[in-house]
Amino acid sequence: MPNKRPFGLPSARLILIAAVAGIIAGAVAVYVKPTPSGNAAETAETQCQGAVQQAKTVSELAKGDIAALTGADTPRRLQALTFKGPDGDALTLSNFEGKTVLLNLWATWCVPCREEMPALNNLQAAKGSDRFEVVAINIDTGSDEKPKAFLEETGVHTLAYYRDSSMGVFNALKKEGLAFGLPVTLVINREGCLIGSMNGPAAWDGEQAKTLIDRVSAL
């Protein structure tokens, strides 16, 4: 398992590549589910009132390698995020309630995603438990052959294999104003509420990221 961190702070070049990747993703994305409105949206926000302090903690700890991470202004449940698990079964964020989740969208054609994956793998190896999981969702279109080959070649063996070849997850997050490029990373609390988000790569196996996970998981 590779332990070398591919970078420290994300470079301007990688952020630019990520933004371009987002434009490409948006051009080929074809699947969007509607988000709730009215009473349904109000209920979702009410359910996340207890996450306000966690979102503030995210903002306070967003420094160093994860300085681009932003605490959610209004913690809320995210709708329409459906993807497949390792066995091919359909999953939503409700399947992970009880765990703090670092949700990441990546693709093999996204250069900063490829550089970031070993760090996500290392974070899962260090902090993964029944209370925390890195949920890295591949959004390559087509078959599983290319993403699985990439993970094997780079020694990313700790992360479970999550997949959305329809790119519906990316589209849903784009509609929510949370995704403009790749990679996209969200911090979701144990109740399934969004407490932080970030576009672009980061060294997720660094001490700042580990401290963040420890702190928000304890709240």
mmCIF file of all heavy atoms in Angstrom, residues 14-16 38 40 42 44 59 61 98 102 105 123 125 155 157 163 171 180 189 192-193 201-202 206 210:
data_model
loop_
_atom_site.group_PDB
_atom_site.id
_atom_site.type_symbol
_atom_site.label_atom_id
_atom_site.label_comp_id
_atom_site.label_asym_id
_atom_site.label_seq_id
_atom_site.Cartn_x
_atom_site.Cartn_y
_atom_site.Cartn_z
ATOM 1 N N LEU A 14 -3.726 22.028 -10.367
ATOM 2 C CA LEU A 14 -4.673 20.945 -10.108
ATOM 3 C C LEU A 14 -6.080 21.469 -9.941
ATOM 4 O O LEU A 14 -7.050 20.856 -10.391
ATOM 5 C CB LEU A 14 -4.252 20.161 -8.863
ATOM 6 C CG LEU A 14 -3.003 19.291 -9.019
ATOM 7 C CD1 LEU A 14 -2.745 18.515 -7.738
ATOM 8 C CD2 LEU A 14 -3.141 18.332 -10.187
ATOM 9 N N ILE A 15 -6.226 22.627 -9.287
ATOM 10 C CA ILE A 15 -7.566 23.202 -9.133
ATOM 11 C C ILE A 15 -8.147 23.549 -10.498
ATOM 12 O O ILE A 15 -9.326 23.324 -10.773
ATOM 13 C CB ILE A 15 -7.513 24.464 -8.251
ATOM 14 C CG1 ILE A 15 -7.089 24.086 -6.817
ATOM 15 C CG2 ILE A 15 -8.863 25.153 -8.216
ATOM 16 C CD1 ILE A 15 -8.044 23.163 -6.113
ATOM 17 N N LEU A 16 -7.292 24.084 -11.406
ATOM 18 C CA LEU A 16 -7.756 24.415 -12.748
ATOM 19 C C LEU A 16 -8.179 23.156 -13.488
ATOM 20 O O LEU A 16 -9.225 23.127 -14.139
ATOM 21 C CB LEU A 16 -6.640 25.128 -13.526
ATOM 22 C CG LEU A 16 -6.961 25.481 -14.991
ATOM 23 C CD1 LEU A 16 -8.162 26.409 -15.050
ATOM 24 C CD2 LEU A 16 -5.747 26.121 -15.638
ATOM 25 N N GLY A 38 -40.578 23.125 -0.303
ATOM 26 C CA GLY A 38 -41.675 23.344 0.633
ATOM 27 C C GLY A 38 -41.470 22.633 1.944
ATOM 28 O O GLY A 38 -40.393 22.678 2.547
ATOM 29 N N ALA A 40 -41.154 19.510 2.678
ATOM 30 C CA ALA A 40 -40.132 18.461 2.691
ATOM 31 C C ALA A 40 -38.761 19.051 2.968
ATOM 32 O O ALA A 40 -37.962 18.511 3.742
ATOM 33 C CB ALA A 40 -40.118 17.712 1.352
ATOM 34 N N GLU A 42 -38.117 21.926 4.492
ATOM 35 C CA GLU A 42 -38.098 22.440 5.866
ATOM 36 C C GLU A 42 -37.863 21.316 6.859
ATOM 37 O O GLU A 42 -37.124 21.463 7.836
ATOM 38 C CB GLU A 42 -39.416 23.149 6.161
ATOM 39 C CG GLU A 42 -39.588 24.459 5.379
ATOM 40 C CD GLU A 42 -40.962 25.071 5.599
ATOM 41 O OE1 GLU A 42 -41.713 24.533 6.439
ATOM 42 O OE2 GLU A 42 -41.275 26.066 4.935
ATOM 43 N N ALA A 44 -36.225 18.507 6.287
ATOM 44 C CA ALA A 44 -34.833 18.082 6.173
ATOM 45 C C ALA A 44 -33.914 19.007 6.962
ATOM 46 O O ALA A 44 -32.999 18.560 7.649
ATOM 47 C CB ALA A 44 -34.412 18.048 4.698
ATOM 48 N N SER A 59 -15.455 24.518 9.795
ATOM 49 C CA SER A 59 -14.894 25.816 9.392
ATOM 50 C C SER A 59 -13.653 26.161 10.208
ATOM 51 O O SER A 59 -12.656 26.669 9.669
ATOM 52 C CB SER A 59 -15.949 26.911 9.551
ATOM 53 O OG SER A 59 -17.035 26.715 8.670
ATOM 54 N N LEU A 61 -11.522 24.142 11.632
ATOM 55 C CA LEU A 61 -10.396 23.241 11.395
ATOM 56 C C LEU A 61 -9.961 23.193 9.930
ATOM 57 O O LEU A 61 -9.025 22.465 9.596
ATOM 58 C CB LEU A 61 -10.755 21.827 11.865
ATOM 59 C CG LEU A 61 -10.989 21.673 13.380
ATOM 60 C CD1 LEU A 61 -11.395 20.245 13.714
ATOM 61 C CD2 LEU A 61 -9.729 22.053 14.158
ATOM 62 N N GLY A 98 -25.307 6.721 11.201
ATOM 63 C CA GLY A 98 -24.590 6.138 12.328
ATOM 64 C C GLY A 98 -23.093 6.287 12.165
ATOM 65 O O GLY A 98 -22.333 6.120 13.117
ATOM 66 N N LEU A 102 -16.919 10.700 4.830
ATOM 67 C CA LEU A 102 -16.224 11.601 3.914
ATOM 68 C C LEU A 102 -16.573 11.091 2.522
ATOM 69 O O LEU A 102 -16.032 10.088 2.051
ATOM 70 C CB LEU A 102 -14.711 11.572 4.135
ATOM 71 C CG LEU A 102 -13.930 12.671 3.405
ATOM 72 C CD1 LEU A 102 -14.111 14.004 4.142
ATOM 73 C CD2 LEU A 102 -12.451 12.330 3.310
ATOM 74 N N LEU A 105 -16.243 12.159 -4.811
ATOM 75 C CA LEU A 105 -16.514 11.764 -6.184
ATOM 76 C C LEU A 105 -15.229 11.843 -6.986
ATOM 77 O O LEU A 105 -14.520 12.854 -6.930
ATOM 78 C CB LEU A 105 -17.575 12.668 -6.827
ATOM 79 C CG LEU A 105 -18.935 12.778 -6.156
ATOM 80 C CD1 LEU A 105 -19.905 13.538 -7.068
ATOM 81 C CD2 LEU A 105 -19.508 11.423 -5.799
ATOM 82 N N LEU A 123 -6.326 7.487 4.655
ATOM 83 C CA LEU A 123 -7.228 7.980 5.693
ATOM 84 C C LEU A 123 -8.183 6.875 6.142
ATOM 85 O O LEU A 123 -8.432 6.701 7.346
ATOM 86 C CB LEU A 123 -8.019 9.176 5.177
ATOM 87 C CG LEU A 123 -9.047 9.766 6.157
ATOM 88 C CD1 LEU A 123 -8.377 10.281 7.418
ATOM 89 C CD2 LEU A 123 -9.855 10.879 5.482
ATOM 90 N N ALA A 125 -7.616 3.690 5.984
ATOM 91 C CA ALA A 125 -6.818 2.705 6.717
ATOM 92 C C ALA A 125 -6.554 3.161 8.151
ATOM 93 O O ALA A 125 -6.559 2.359 9.086
ATOM 94 C CB ALA A 125 -5.496 2.457 5.997
ATOM 95 N N GLY A 155 -2.556 0.517 -5.797
ATOM 96 C CA GLY A 155 -2.549 -0.078 -4.463
ATOM 97 C C GLY A 155 -3.617 0.456 -3.544
ATOM 98 O O GLY A 155 -3.452 0.444 -2.321
ATOM 99 N N HIS A 157 -6.463 -0.408 -1.852
ATOM 100 C CA HIS A 157 -7.166 -1.640 -1.503
ATOM 101 C C HIS A 157 -8.040 -1.519 -0.266
ATOM 102 O O HIS A 157 -8.809 -2.439 0.035
ATOM 103 C CB HIS A 157 -6.147 -2.761 -1.267
ATOM 104 C CG HIS A 157 -5.319 -3.083 -2.476
ATOM 105 N ND1 HIS A 157 -3.980 -3.434 -2.402
ATOM 106 C CD2 HIS A 157 -5.635 -3.083 -3.805
ATOM 107 C CE1 HIS A 157 -3.508 -3.657 -3.611
ATOM 108 N NE2 HIS A 157 -4.495 -3.439 -4.493
ATOM 109 N N ARG A 163 -19.827 3.059 -6.892
ATOM 110 C CA ARG A 163 -19.838 3.357 -8.329
ATOM 111 C C ARG A 163 -21.151 4.025 -8.734
ATOM 112 O O ARG A 163 -22.217 3.707 -8.222
ATOM 113 C CB ARG A 163 -19.695 2.026 -9.072
ATOM 114 C CG ARG A 163 -19.591 2.151 -10.581
ATOM 115 C CD ARG A 163 -18.146 2.236 -10.995
ATOM 116 N NE ARG A 163 -18.017 1.823 -12.393
ATOM 117 C CZ ARG A 163 -18.098 2.639 -13.429
ATOM 118 N NH1 ARG A 163 -18.290 3.939 -13.253
ATOM 119 N NH2 ARG A 163 -17.964 2.182 -14.657
ATOM 120 N N ASN A 171 -24.498 15.080 -10.856
ATOM 121 C CA ASN A 171 -25.542 16.006 -11.287
ATOM 122 C C ASN A 171 -26.359 16.538 -10.117
ATOM 123 O O ASN A 171 -26.700 17.721 -10.068
ATOM 124 C CB ASN A 171 -26.473 15.314 -12.290
ATOM 125 C CG ASN A 171 -25.992 15.473 -13.717
ATOM 126 O OD1 ASN A 171 -25.783 16.573 -14.191
ATOM 127 N ND2 ASN A 171 -25.799 14.357 -14.383
ATOM 128 N N PHE A 180 -18.665 21.809 -8.824
ATOM 129 C CA PHE A 180 -18.374 22.498 -10.077
ATOM 130 C C PHE A 180 -17.230 21.827 -10.808
ATOM 131 O O PHE A 180 -16.900 22.188 -11.936
ATOM 132 C CB PHE A 180 -18.064 23.985 -9.846
ATOM 133 C CG PHE A 180 -16.817 24.250 -9.062
ATOM 134 C CD1 PHE A 180 -15.577 24.213 -9.662
ATOM 135 C CD2 PHE A 180 -16.892 24.549 -7.708
ATOM 136 C CE1 PHE A 180 -14.412 24.476 -8.944
ATOM 137 C CE2 PHE A 180 -15.736 24.808 -6.980
ATOM 138 C CZ PHE A 180 -14.502 24.774 -7.596
ATOM 139 N N ASN A 189 -22.467 14.024 8.545
ATOM 140 C CA ASN A 189 -22.443 13.553 9.929
ATOM 141 C C ASN A 189 -23.234 12.256 10.111
ATOM 142 O O ASN A 189 -23.786 11.701 9.151
ATOM 143 C CB ASN A 189 -22.906 14.649 10.901
ATOM 144 C CG ASN A 189 -24.416 14.853 10.906
ATOM 145 O OD1 ASN A 189 -25.174 14.225 10.166
ATOM 146 N ND2 ASN A 189 -24.876 15.761 11.759
ATOM 147 N N GLY A 192 -26.675 11.860 8.675
ATOM 148 C CA GLY A 192 -26.831 12.035 7.234
ATOM 149 C C GLY A 192 -26.926 13.480 6.796
ATOM 150 O O GLY A 192 -27.419 13.768 5.693
ATOM 151 N N CYS A 193 -26.453 14.413 7.634
ATOM 152 C CA CYS A 193 -26.541 15.841 7.325
ATOM 153 C C CYS A 193 -25.207 16.372 6.798
ATOM 154 O O CYS A 193 -24.145 16.061 7.341
ATOM 155 C CB CYS A 193 -26.937 16.634 8.567
ATOM 156 S SG CYS A 193 -28.533 16.161 9.276
ATOM 157 N N PRO A 201 -8.656 18.843 -4.913
ATOM 158 C CA PRO A 201 -7.956 17.802 -4.161
ATOM 159 C C PRO A 201 -7.393 18.298 -2.838
ATOM 160 O O PRO A 201 -7.228 19.491 -2.617
ATOM 161 C CB PRO A 201 -6.827 17.410 -5.115
ATOM 162 C CG PRO A 201 -6.503 18.709 -5.807
ATOM 163 C CD PRO A 201 -7.823 19.410 -5.992
ATOM 164 N N ALA A 202 -7.105 17.349 -1.961
ATOM 165 C CA ALA A 202 -6.463 17.664 -0.679
ATOM 166 C C ALA A 202 -5.669 16.456 -0.208
ATOM 167 O O ALA A 202 -5.901 15.331 -0.665
ATOM 168 C CB ALA A 202 -7.504 18.065 0.364
ATOM 169 N N GLY A 206 -3.344 13.722 5.918
ATOM 170 C CA GLY A 206 -2.560 14.595 6.785
ATOM 171 C C GLY A 206 -3.152 14.724 8.173
ATOM 172 O O GLY A 206 -4.306 14.344 8.431
ATOM 173 N N LYS A 210 -7.114 14.298 9.767
ATOM 174 C CA LYS A 210 -7.401 13.311 10.810
ATOM 175 C C LYS A 210 -7.990 13.973 12.047
ATOM 176 O O LYS A 210 -8.905 13.436 12.689
ATOM 177 C CB LYS A 210 -6.121 12.546 11.168
ATOM 178 C CG LYS A 210 -5.621 11.646 10.050
ATOM 179 C CD LYS A 210 -4.299 10.990 10.419
ATOM 180 C CE LYS A 210 -3.764 10.135 9.288
ATOM 181 N NZ LYS A 210 -2.439 9.549 9.600
#
